[in-house]
Amino acid sequence: MNIKPKMIAAKTFFARMNEGRSQWLTEAQILSACEEFFLHNGYKHLERDVAFEGPQNFVSPVTGSNELETLATIFRPRLDKYDMGFFGVVESALYNIIDNHDDATLVLATDSLSYGPITKFEDIGVALENLMTEGMYLLFLNGRLAHALFDDFSKLAAPVPLQD
Protein backbone atom coordinates (compact mmCIF):
# COMPACT_ATOMS: atom_id res chain seq x y z
CA MET A 1 0.00 0.00 0.00
CA ASN A 2 1.49 3.29 -1.14
CA ILE A 3 0.19 6.23 0.91
CA LYS A 4 0.74 9.68 -0.55
CA PRO A 5 1.82 12.32 1.94
CA LYS A 6 -0.56 15.17 2.65
CA MET A 7 0.43 18.32 0.81
CA ILE A 8 0.06 21.99 1.70
CA ALA A 9 0.30 25.05 -0.55
CA ALA A 10 3.71 26.73 -0.37
CA LYS A 11 2.21 30.10 0.65
CA THR A 12 0.31 28.42 3.49
CA PHE A 13 3.43 26.52 4.57
CA PHE A 14 5.42 29.76 4.80
CA ALA A 15 2.55 31.60 6.49
CA ARG A 16 2.61 28.90 9.18
CA MET A 17 6.40 28.99 9.34
CA ASN A 18 6.31 32.76 9.90
CA GLU A 19 3.27 32.85 12.17
CA GLY A 20 3.66 35.36 14.98
CA ARG A 21 6.97 36.68 13.66
CA SER A 22 7.57 40.35 12.95
CA GLN A 23 11.34 40.67 13.31
CA TRP A 24 13.95 39.41 10.87
CA LEU A 25 16.63 37.03 12.11
CA THR A 26 20.12 38.43 12.63
CA GLU A 27 23.22 36.84 11.11
CA ALA A 28 24.01 35.33 14.53
CA GLN A 29 20.54 33.76 14.64
CA ILE A 30 20.93 32.48 11.05
CA LEU A 31 24.28 30.92 12.05
CA SER A 32 22.72 29.17 15.02
CA ALA A 33 19.71 28.02 12.98
CA CYS A 34 22.03 26.66 10.24
CA GLU A 35 23.93 24.63 12.80
CA GLU A 36 20.64 23.21 14.12
CA PHE A 37 19.53 22.43 10.55
CA PHE A 38 22.78 20.60 9.82
CA LEU A 39 22.66 18.52 13.00
CA HIS A 40 18.98 17.56 12.52
CA ASN A 41 19.62 16.51 8.91
CA GLY A 42 22.65 14.25 9.30
CA TYR A 43 25.43 16.78 8.66
CA LYS A 44 27.28 15.96 11.90
CA HIS A 45 30.65 17.53 11.06
CA LEU A 46 30.28 21.29 11.56
CA GLU A 47 32.98 23.89 10.97
CA ARG A 48 32.93 27.67 11.17
CA ASP A 49 34.70 30.13 8.89
CA VAL A 50 35.84 27.59 6.32
CA ALA A 51 37.92 29.00 3.47
CA PHE A 52 37.20 27.69 -0.02
CA GLU A 53 40.17 28.55 -2.19
CA GLY A 54 39.91 29.39 -5.86
CA PRO A 55 40.24 32.38 -8.17
CA GLN A 56 37.87 34.25 -5.82
CA ASN A 57 38.44 32.92 -2.29
CA PHE A 58 35.26 32.43 -0.31
CA VAL A 59 34.79 31.97 3.44
CA SER A 60 31.67 30.12 4.53
CA PRO A 61 30.37 31.14 7.97
CA VAL A 62 29.44 27.52 8.73
CA THR A 63 29.66 24.25 6.83
CA GLY A 64 28.00 20.94 7.52
CA SER A 65 29.34 17.65 6.20
CA ASN A 66 28.31 14.03 6.07
CA GLU A 67 29.95 11.08 4.31
CA LEU A 68 28.70 12.22 0.90
CA GLU A 69 28.80 16.00 0.74
CA THR A 70 29.60 19.32 2.32
CA LEU A 71 27.11 22.16 2.42
CA ALA A 72 28.80 25.56 2.49
CA THR A 73 26.67 28.51 3.55
CA ILE A 74 26.43 32.13 2.60
CA PHE A 75 24.02 34.29 4.63
CA ARG A 76 21.58 37.02 3.77
CA PRO A 77 19.00 37.32 6.56
CA ARG A 78 16.76 39.70 4.64
CA LEU A 79 16.12 39.44 0.91
CA ASP A 80 13.65 42.20 0.28
CA LYS A 81 15.24 44.40 -2.38
CA TYR A 82 17.16 43.63 -5.50
CA ASP A 83 20.84 43.80 -4.61
CA MET A 84 23.00 43.10 -7.67
CA GLY A 85 26.20 43.42 -5.63
CA PHE A 86 25.13 40.65 -3.26
CA PHE A 87 24.01 38.31 -6.04
CA GLY A 88 27.36 38.90 -7.73
CA VAL A 89 29.11 37.77 -4.53
CA VAL A 90 26.87 34.69 -4.38
CA GLU A 91 27.57 33.88 -8.04
CA SER A 92 31.32 34.20 -7.47
CA ALA A 93 31.16 31.91 -4.41
CA LEU A 94 28.99 29.41 -6.29
CA TYR A 95 31.38 29.13 -9.23
CA ASN A 96 34.35 28.89 -6.88
CA ILE A 97 32.73 25.90 -5.19
CA ILE A 98 31.49 24.30 -8.43
CA ASP A 99 34.87 24.65 -10.15
CA ASN A 100 37.17 23.75 -7.25
CA HIS A 101 35.36 21.57 -4.70
CA ASP A 102 33.71 18.43 -6.06
CA ASP A 103 31.87 17.35 -2.91
CA ALA A 104 30.59 20.79 -1.87
CA THR A 105 27.34 22.64 -2.55
CA LEU A 106 26.62 26.30 -1.83
CA VAL A 107 23.55 27.06 0.28
CA LEU A 108 22.11 30.57 0.54
CA ALA A 109 20.60 30.73 4.03
CA THR A 110 17.96 33.39 4.65
CA ASP A 111 15.10 34.21 6.99
CA SER A 112 11.83 32.53 6.04
CA LEU A 113 10.28 36.03 5.95
CA SER A 114 12.22 36.43 2.67
CA TYR A 115 9.86 33.99 0.92
CA GLY A 116 7.34 36.74 0.09
CA PRO A 117 9.79 39.16 -1.53
CA ILE A 118 11.52 36.33 -3.41
CA THR A 119 8.26 35.23 -4.99
CA LYS A 120 6.90 38.77 -5.52
CA PHE A 121 9.85 40.67 -6.98
CA GLU A 122 10.84 39.43 -10.40
CA ASP A 123 14.43 40.70 -10.21
CA ILE A 124 15.13 38.72 -7.02
CA GLY A 125 13.36 35.65 -8.37
CA VAL A 126 15.24 35.66 -11.66
CA ALA A 127 18.61 36.09 -9.93
CA LEU A 128 17.89 33.23 -7.52
CA GLU A 129 16.47 31.00 -10.24
CA ASN A 130 19.66 31.44 -12.28
CA LEU A 131 21.86 30.64 -9.26
CA MET A 132 19.78 27.58 -8.38
CA THR A 133 19.91 26.36 -11.98
CA GLU A 134 23.70 26.39 -11.61
CA GLY A 135 23.52 24.26 -8.45
CA MET A 136 22.91 26.51 -5.44
CA TYR A 137 20.44 25.49 -2.72
CA LEU A 138 18.15 27.94 -0.93
CA LEU A 139 17.54 27.42 2.80
CA PHE A 140 14.78 29.25 4.67
CA LEU A 141 15.06 29.40 8.47
CA ASN A 142 12.79 30.85 11.13
CA GLY A 143 14.85 30.46 14.30
CA ARG A 144 12.32 28.03 15.76
CA LEU A 145 13.75 24.77 14.38
CA ALA A 146 11.62 24.97 11.23
CA HIS A 147 13.31 25.08 7.85
CA ALA A 148 12.70 24.62 4.15
CA LEU A 149 15.51 23.61 1.77
CA PHE A 150 15.05 23.96 -1.98
CA ASP A 151 17.29 22.70 -4.77
CA ASP A 152 15.08 23.94 -7.61
CA PHE A 153 13.48 27.39 -7.87
CA SER A 154 10.26 26.03 -9.37
CA LYS A 155 9.65 24.07 -6.17
CA LEU A 156 9.13 27.33 -4.24
CA ALA A 157 5.61 27.53 -5.67
CA ALA A 158 4.87 23.78 -5.53
CA PRO A 159 2.89 22.13 -2.73
CA VAL A 160 5.02 21.06 0.24
CA PRO A 161 4.59 17.63 1.89
CA LEU A 162 3.46 17.84 5.51
CA GLN A 163 5.75 16.26 8.08
CA ASP A 164 4.23 14.02 10.73
Side-chain angles (χ1 to χ4, degrees):
M1 184 176 194
N2 199 359
I3 299 173
K4 291 184 179 181
K6 291 183 180 180
M7 304 296 276
I8 185 171
K11 286 183 181 183
T12 303
F13 174 80
F14 278 97
R16 287 183 182 176
M17 196 171 172
N18 293 325
E19 188 174 1
R21 294 188 59 225
S22 60
Q23 301 228 348
W24 294 82
L25 298 175
T26 65
E27 285 200 18
Q29 291 169 314
I30 293 278
L31 177 71
S32 177
C34 277
E35 289 175 334
E36 291 170 357
F37 165 80
F38 286 142
L39 292 173
H40 286 17
N41 288 283
Y43 296 90
K44 303 294 184 199
H45 182 71
L46 302 180
E47 288 186 79
R48 287 193 177 185
D49 300 321
V50 176
F52 287 85
E53 295 182 13
Q56 297 288 321
N57 291 339
F58 163 68
V59 176
S60 173
V62 63
T63 62
S65 300
N66 62 22
E67 328 52 70
L68 302 174
E69 69 179 335
T70 297
L71 297 181
T73 59
I74 189 166
F75 296 168
R76 187 62 156 205
R78 185 176 185 158
L79 290 170
D80 66 347
K81 295 179 183 171
Y82 188 66
D83 182 354
M84 187 53 112
F86 173 68
F87 290 119
V89 169
V90 175
E91 182 179 44
S92 180
L94 176 62
Y95 287 124
N96 181 359
I97 288 175
I98 289 171
D99 294 342
N100 301 299
H101 306 279
D102 292 336
D103 65 341
T105 302
L106 183 66
V107 177
L108 171 56
T110 189
D111 190 310
S112 59
L113 292 172
S114 294
Y115 177 79
I118 287 170
T119 57
K120 287 180 189 172
F121 298 121
E122 185 177 354
D123 291 343
I124 294 173
V126 169
L128 288 173
E129 183 174 16
N130 290 338
L131 291 165
M132 293 177 80
T133 298
E134 293 297 324
M136 184 190 81
Y137 293 172
L138 183 58
L139 175 62
F140 293 98
L141 302 159
N142 70 356
R144 300 183 298 203
L145 292 178
H147 66 273
L149 180 68
F150 294 90
D151 62 354
D152 184 333
F153 188 81
S154 66
K155 292 179 183 176
L156 270 83
V160 177
L162 285 176
Q163 301 292 325
D164 290 333

